[in-house]
């Protein structure tokens, strides 16, 4: 079943959220920063940090001139700080090889550090209005329900997912770019994973509704916990280094997780391997670029 383009765009015209990276005058670089930040992180946490980054690093060369440690400190507690390091690396490439401008085409974007299939298409679409399928979790869920009549999408498949969204995109470039944003918004606000607000859905037809809203028959999704995980310990270790003025002694880091020294040591080693922190010649620990 096709998705009613006019109904979706009409709804989006009145219900679109006023997100800062959607406002006029926002550059492709600033949209790229927002897309990296928004990966696995809620809008409410990203918005204030993004605004600070726009003011501090309005163009890639400004970020490239800053140290890795500066970027990691500014990243704060957004989580998954490797994203910050990759963005810093990407800024250097954009400044040195692309005239401080984010490329327009997907293939060139895919060649940049830290830019994957979703981010490349999102930037091409939302920054430059390109007609390219943009597929995130929300889009996959809307297509699964409205088009295929399934409660949840199957396992991700880049080829299948891109083909599914390509099939429902309007043919004209201008409508396609706005349609992509609207489809994502519908999944974020109405067609949610839990308790979808079907009575508020603007689509006049939905295969899942017509099928009687069949329950998901596949394996239940595992809830990703945070408390007590290596991720939590890594975050605590990073917080100590972000809050310090320079390298710290090992004893300072040891105090952040006393319940399981083995887990703490494993987390510390993983931060070193990921290049997020460094060890100085004298045995102190510091953020990347500060050792």
């Amino acid at each position: 079943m096709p998705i009613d383009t006019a109904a979706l765009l009409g709804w989006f015209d009145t219900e679109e959220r006023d997100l800062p990276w959607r406002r006029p005058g926002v550059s492709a670089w600033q949209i790229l920063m927002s897309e990296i930040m928004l990966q696995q992180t809620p809008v409410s946490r990203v918005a204030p940090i993004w605004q600070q980054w726009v003011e501090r690093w309005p163009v890639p060369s400004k970020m490239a001139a800053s140290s890795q440690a500066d970027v990691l400190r500014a990243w704060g507690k957004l989580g998954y700080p490797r994203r910050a390091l990759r963005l810093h690396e990407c800024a250097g490439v954009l400044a040195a090889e692309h005239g401080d401008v984010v490329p327009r085409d997907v293939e060139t974007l895919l060649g940049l550090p830290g830019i994957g299939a979703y981010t490349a298409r999102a930037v091409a679409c939302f920054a430059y209005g390109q007609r390219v399928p943009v597929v995130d979790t929300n889009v996959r869920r809307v297509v699964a329900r409205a088009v295929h009549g399934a409660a949840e999408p199957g396992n991700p498949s880049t080829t299948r997912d891109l083909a599914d969204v390509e099939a429902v995109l309007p043919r004209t470039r201008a409508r396609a770019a706005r349609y992509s944003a609207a489809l994502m918004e519908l999944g974020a606000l109405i067609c949610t994973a839990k308790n979808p607000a079907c009575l508020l859905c603007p689509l006049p037809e939905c295969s899942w509704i017509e099928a009687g809203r069949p329950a998901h028959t596949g394996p239940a999704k595992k809830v990703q916990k945070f408390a007590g995980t290596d991720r939590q310990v890594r975050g605590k270790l990073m917080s100590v280094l972000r809050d310090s003025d320079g390298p710290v002694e090992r004893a300072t880091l040891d105090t952040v997780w006393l319940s399981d020294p083995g887990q703490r040591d494993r987390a510390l080693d993983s931060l070193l391997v990921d290049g997020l922190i460094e060890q100085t010649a004298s045995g102190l620990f510091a953020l990347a670029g500060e050792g």
Side-chain angles (χ1 to χ4, degrees):
M1 176 182 295
I3 294 176
D4 190 312
T5 299
L8 178 61
L9 292 178
W11 169 81
F12 194 49
D13 285 343
T14 60
E15 301 299 328
E16 178 183 6
R17 287 175 292 178
D18 179 24
L19 302 180
W21 40 84
R22 288 177 176 171
R23 294 170 187 167
V26 176
S27 70
W29 162 245
Q30 293 160 2
I31 289 175
L32 171 59
M33 287 197 295
S34 76
E35 290 296 342
I36 296 295
M37 290 179 167
L38 286 164
Q39 294 169 12
Q40 298 176 291
T41 308
V43 167
S44 59
R45 291 179 59 198
V46 167
I49 303 297
W50 177 85
Q51 189 61 55
Q52 294 170 12
W53 282 43
V54 167
E55 294 169 3
R56 185 172 182 179
W57 296 305
V59 293
S61 57
K62 290 288 187 181
M63 179 178 287
S66 297
S67 69
Q68 292 175 308
D70 286 340
V71 175
L72 286 170
R73 281 199 174 88
W75 188 259
K77 296 183 178 181
L78 286 180
Y80 302 100
R82 277 178 290 183
R83 292 180 291 170
L85 283 188
R86 296 294 277 169
L87 189 54
H88 180 266
E89 183 183 358
C90 182
V93 173
L94 291 172
E97 301 178 14
H98 296 276
D100 231 15
V101 175
V102 174
R104 290 174 171 268
D105 64 288
V106 171
E107 291 306 314
T108 306
L109 285 162
L110 285 170
L112 296 173
I115 306 302
Y118 165 77
T119 304
R121 288 175 172 81
V123 171
C125 176
F126 302 139
Y128 294 117
Q130 304 278 18
R131 186 191 177 279
V132 292
V134 183
V135 183
D136 72 349
T137 301
N138 288 320
V139 170
R140 293 183 69 243
R141 185 169 57 253
V142 172
V143 171
R145 290 173 179 168
V147 177
H148 300 300
E152 297 290 339
N155 293 328
S157 165
T158 300
T159 301
R160 185 194 64 234
D161 293 339
L162 290 176
D164 273 353
V165 177
E166 168 71 30
V168 300
L169 277 182
R171 301 310 305 172
T172 61
R173 175 171 162 169
R175 281 167 66 85
R178 186 151 179 82
Y179 180 97
S180 292
L183 201 62
M184 199 171 291
E185 193 87 331
L186 185 66
L189 301 181
I190 301 295
C191 195
T192 52
K194 293 182 179 179
N195 303 315
C198 294
L199 293 178
L200 300 178
C201 182
L203 302 183
E205 295 181 306
C206 170
S207 295
W208 187 50
I209 294 296
E210 293 191 5
R213 291 180 40 147
H216 179 57
T217 56
K221 291 183 179 179
K222 293 182 179 179
V223 177
Q224 190 176 25
K225 66 176 184 176
F226 178 72
T229 64
D230 286 2
R231 274 189 59 218
Q232 184 183 21
V233 184
R234 281 166 58 101
K236 287 181 174 293
L237 293 168
M238 288 293 292
S239 289
V240 171
L241 295 174
R242 281 197 309 269
D243 294 341
S244 70
D245 295 328
V248 303
E249 295 181 351
R250 173 63 184 262
T252 302
L253 296 175
D254 286 348
T255 61
V256 307
W257 198 258
L258 298 173
S259 60
D260 188 342
Q263 184 181 29
R264 181 195 61 225
D265 293 348
R266 182 171 66 246
L268 184 62
D269 287 343
S270 71
L271 291 173
L272 288 165
V273 171
D274 288 344
L276 290 164
I277 67 174
E278 300 173 352
Q279 191 168 16
T280 69
S282 60
L284 301 179
F285 292 84
L287 290 175
E290 265 187 347

